């Protein structure tokens, strides 16, 4: 499904809704004529069908609602992780102020390079579901310099401990971002969503509606609403993928207001 996130958002929405509409109307065209020609429509009670349809649509609506809320929660959590990681880089950058001039300038440049890589390379790659190794290379170089400090004063040792803590926090938040990049709704849940959509739309065929156009309009509205909800779930499923994704603005803000001053 990664290719879906390469499409413009408006086209993705149109595509998903159109697929549900076309399938629903083809199924209605196949069943409506046969239902009325066979005389089976005379034995169908719309009240009974409506009771079963209400139960199925209610259960399916609850399923979509719960999945959408869970996906929205994951999206917000991914945004929080990005903001916290950007804050961790700012804290680390400021902690380096107590280091000797030569060491401080070199290490601050590496942190600045890391944030630049995140903004210019990682974020565009994440929108395609990828994560380049450039971040790891910069962090490994910074870690090598950080862990081999010598000749620090007592005051600098205190700051050194805080720097190590900030660096570990940065590494942990970066790991969480990578995990969120690969996360998403399990395939079995997507199968349940699609089967539930088929069952809900299929039940709408069982109503006896004399006018085919009216029946098609009602079924089309139902299929369109289901398509919109599925589109929303697709967009929120991977918070770092596609156009509607977590922004790199926190990193850009740290870069422009702190590191490039």
């Amino acid at each position: 499904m990664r290719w879906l996130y390469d499409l413009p958002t408006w086209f993705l929405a149109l595509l998903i809704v159109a697929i549900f509409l076309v399938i629903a109307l083809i199924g209605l065209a196949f069943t409506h004529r046969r239902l009325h020609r066979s005389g089976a429509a005379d034995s169908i009670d719309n009240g009974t069908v409506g009771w079963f349809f209400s139960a199925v649509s209610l259960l399916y609506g609850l399923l979509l609602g719960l999945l959408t809320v869970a996906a929205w929660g994951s999206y917000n959590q991914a945004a929080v992780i990005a903001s916290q990681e950007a804050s961790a880089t700012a804290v680390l950058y400021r902690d380096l102020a107590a280091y000797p001039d030569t060491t401080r300038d070199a290490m601050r440049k590496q942190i600045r390079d890391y944030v630049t890589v995140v903004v210019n390379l990682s974020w565009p790659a994440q929108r395609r579901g990828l994560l380049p190794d450039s971040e790891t290379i910069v962090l490994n170089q910074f870690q090598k310099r950080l862990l081999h400090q010598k000749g620090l004063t007592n005051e600098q040792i205190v700051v050194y401990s805080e720097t190590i803590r900030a660096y570990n926090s940065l590494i942990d938040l970066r790991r969480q971002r990578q995990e969120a990049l690969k996360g998403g709704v399990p395939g079995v849940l997507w199968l349940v969503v699609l089967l539930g959509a088929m069952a809900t739309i299929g039940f709408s065929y069982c109503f006896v509606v004399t006018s085919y156009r009216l029946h098609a309009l009602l079924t089309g509205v139902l299929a369109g609403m289901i398509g919109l909800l599925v589109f929303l779930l697709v967009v929120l499923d991977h918070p770092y993928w596609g156009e509607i994704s977590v922004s790199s603005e926190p990193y850009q803000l740290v870069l422009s207001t702190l590191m490039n001053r």
Side-chain angles (χ1 to χ4, degrees):
M1 291 178 56
R2 183 177 297 176
W3 62 272
L4 290 175
Y5 296 88
D6 295 331
L7 302 175
T9 303
W10 66 268
F11 184 75
L12 177 61
L14 185 63
L15 176 64
I16 294 177
V17 171
I19 289 175
F20 276 90
L21 278 174
V22 169
I23 294 177
L25 294 179
I26 290 177
L28 178 64
F30 180 79
T31 58
H32 187 272
R33 297 176 182 176
R34 285 163 177 76
L35 188 66
H36 285 270
R37 289 177 180 176
S38 64
D42 298 333
S43 61
I44 294 178
D45 179 13
N46 278 348
T48 303
V49 174
W51 186 88
F52 279 100
F53 178 78
S54 298
V56 171
S57 59
L58 176 62
L59 291 175
Y60 185 64
L62 287 174
L63 171 65
L64 281 182
L66 290 174
L67 287 178
T68 303
V69 169
W72 177 247
S74 298
Y75 185 94
N76 284 333
Q77 181 62 28
V80 170
I81 290 172
S83 179
Q84 290 178 343
E85 184 184 3
S87 298
T89 60
V91 171
L92 186 57
Y93 189 86
R94 288 187 179 277
D95 285 345
L96 293 173
Y99 279 62
D101 291 346
T102 54
T103 304
R104 179 195 62 204
D105 294 342
M107 296 179 70
R108 277 188 163 183
K109 181 181 182 303
Q110 289 176 325
I111 294 299
R112 186 166 57 250
D113 290 343
Y114 171 75
V115 179
T116 302
V117 166
V118 169
V119 172
N120 295 334
L121 296 180
S122 297
W123 230 256
Q126 284 178 176
R127 290 188 171 185
R128 302 191 304 271
L130 306 174
L131 188 63
D133 295 331
S134 305
E135 292 180 15
T136 304
I137 295 174
V138 176
L139 283 179
N140 286 342
Q141 293 173 349
F142 176 81
Q143 178 178 305
K144 183 178 180 181
R145 188 183 295 269
L146 176 64
L147 298 180
H148 290 81
Q149 295 299 312
K150 297 179 181 180
L152 299 176
T153 64
N154 292 334
E155 293 80 4
Q156 290 172 339
I157 291 176
V158 175
V159 177
Y160 178 74
S161 300
E162 292 299 322
T163 305
I164 292 293
R165 186 177 294 108
Y167 176 72
N168 290 336
S169 176
L170 171 62
I171 294 299
D172 181 60
L173 291 168
R174 177 175 177 269
R175 177 190 56 80
Q176 293 182 40
R177 173 165 57 88
Q178 291 177 325
E179 291 178 355
L181 177 66
K182 299 300 181 181
V185 176
V188 64
L189 288 182
W190 276 115
L191 178 62
V192 172
V193 167
L194 295 178
L195 291 178
M198 293 173 57
T200 303
I201 295 174
F203 259 105
S204 69
Y205 300 160
C206 298
F207 285 97
V208 178
V209 182
T210 305
S211 172
Y212 173 75
R213 291 185 178 181
L214 176 60
H215 203 170
L217 175 63
L218 297 174
T219 302
V221 171
L222 175 64
M225 287 302 302
I226 292 176
L228 284 175
L229 290 174
V230 171
F231 160 73
L232 180 61
L233 186 57
V234 168
V235 169
L236 297 178
D237 187 24
H238 294 282
Y240 292 115
W241 294 17
E243 289 184 355
I244 302 180
S245 57
V246 176
S247 173
S248 63
E249 184 178 355
Y251 303 89
Q252 296 175 10
L253 187 62
V254 169
L255 195 61
S256 61
T257 61
L258 177 63
M259 299 181 181
N260 287 338
R261 293 177 63 179

